[in-house]
Amino acid sequence: MPVLPMQLEAAIHAVQAAGEVILPYFRTELQVETKADQSPVTAADRAAEQVIVETLQSQFPDYGFLGEEFGEQAGNTDARWIIDPIDGTKNFIRGIPYFATLLALEESGDITHGVIYAPAEQTLFYAAKGFGAFTNGHQPLEVSSIDELSQAMLVHGGLDILRQGGYWDGFTRLIDATARQRGFGDYFAHTFVFRGQAEVMVEADVKPWDLAPLKIIAEEAGGRFTDFTGQPTIYGGNALVSNRHVHAEVLKLLGPISGTS
């Protein structure tokens, strides 16, 4: 196994430490609170974010942090860690093992390192700019070579979210154009594109911490990451991840917001 970039190795260690904090809470009686945005939060979410910050602060004292639970913390905003301590909290609450800790390093506005760790499945995904994208045991990740949308598999993060966001007409055009459609949601859906098992993932109503590591992993696996307008940003509120071959056609089909129907 090649030597990992220093920041990537530190990020992997941090998410694994978070996993050790999270798992004792899994499938126990949890006290669930509702945040201002109506999303749920548990003690496990907060404890996991805290351990990541503590783990990384000692190695990178000048780096900043942006986390789902504790927001932006003091540090260098030109280099900051972006944290989602539990992506898929609703799965976690209901005892479904498809939840993960997401961690990425943003440098001068560019995501350069990213890690996903699903502790219940003990599955790790990681990438760094120019280094490649890998999963457990340093197995390379590579997107599929399918270049016809009519042969593509489409995955999505939730039908009602797409409808409420005003993307329903474009999404139904995308359904008609693809060979197969499945809904998985959260980080898990994106991994099908990373592995070459699906060609398109669309997701709406998402925050930067939901997307940060997905961007670099998709790109280093040979794919493409943009928002629905085609901008390669984690700040657009939605995300399109593809094997790059069908990306332009998907953007055309999604089209502008046309209102709910």
Side-chain angles (χ1 to χ4, degrees), residues 158-173 204 254-261:
L159 298 175
D160 197 43
I161 292 171
L162 288 163
R163 182 176 60 184
Q164 289 182 11
Y167 303 107
W168 194 249
D169 290 346
F171 182 67
T172 55
R173 288 193 293 269
L254 279 174
I257 294 178
S258 57
T260 55
S261 59

Side-chain angles (χ1 to χ4, degrees), residues 92-234:
F92 174 72
I93 290 166
R94 300 197 67 174
I96 299 168
Y98 301 113
F99 59 89
T101 298
L102 312 187
L103 177 63
L105 178 61
E106 182 182 52
E107 299 180 278
S108 301
D110 189 23
I111 304 299
T112 58
H113 300 71
V115 179
I116 299 169
Y117 181 54
E121 296 291 295
Q122 294 196 0
T123 305
L124 178 70
F125 301 89
Y126 55 98
K129 196 165 190 177
F131 180 75
F134 304 89
T135 187
N136 291 16
H138 206 64
Q139 301 172 41
L141 293 167
E142 186 176 1
V143 298
S144 81
S145 59
I146 289 174
D147 59 6
E148 295 289 337
L149 200 54
S150 61
Q151 300 173 28
M153 177 169 165
L154 163 68
V155 291
H156 60 82
L159 298 175
D160 197 43
I161 292 171
L162 288 163
R163 182 176 60 184
Q164 289 182 11
Y167 303 107
W168 194 249
D169 290 346
F171 182 67
T172 55
R173 288 193 293 269
L174 194 52
I175 291 171
D176 291 339
T178 50
R180 189 170 183 240
Q181 307 81 33
R182 291 293 182 271
F184 297 103
D186 304 313
Y187 82 96
F188 187 56
H190 295 268
T191 67
F192 289 87
V193 179
F194 304 158
R195 295 178 189 272
Q197 299 165 332
E199 286 63 54
V200 183
M201 163 60 179
V202 293
E203 189 172 24
D205 191 24
V206 280
K207 304 294 193 296
W209 43 79
D210 298 314
L211 303 174
L214 307 176
K215 182 177 188 293
I216 185 67
I217 295 172
E219 291 170 348
E220 289 294 317
R224 187 177 170 194
F225 176 104
T226 71
D227 65 10
F228 288 0
T229 71
Q231 296 301 307
T233 177
I234 63 171

Side-chain angles (χ1 to χ4, degrees), residues 59-86:
Q59 277 188 268
F60 307 97
D62 296 329
Y63 285 22
F65 293 90
L66 174 64
E68 178 175 10
E69 305 309 334
F70 298 110
E72 192 158 5
Q73 299 189 40
N76 182 0
T77 56
D78 288 335
R80 66 177 180 178
W81 298 101
I82 301 177
I83 310 164
D84 188 344
I86 302 181

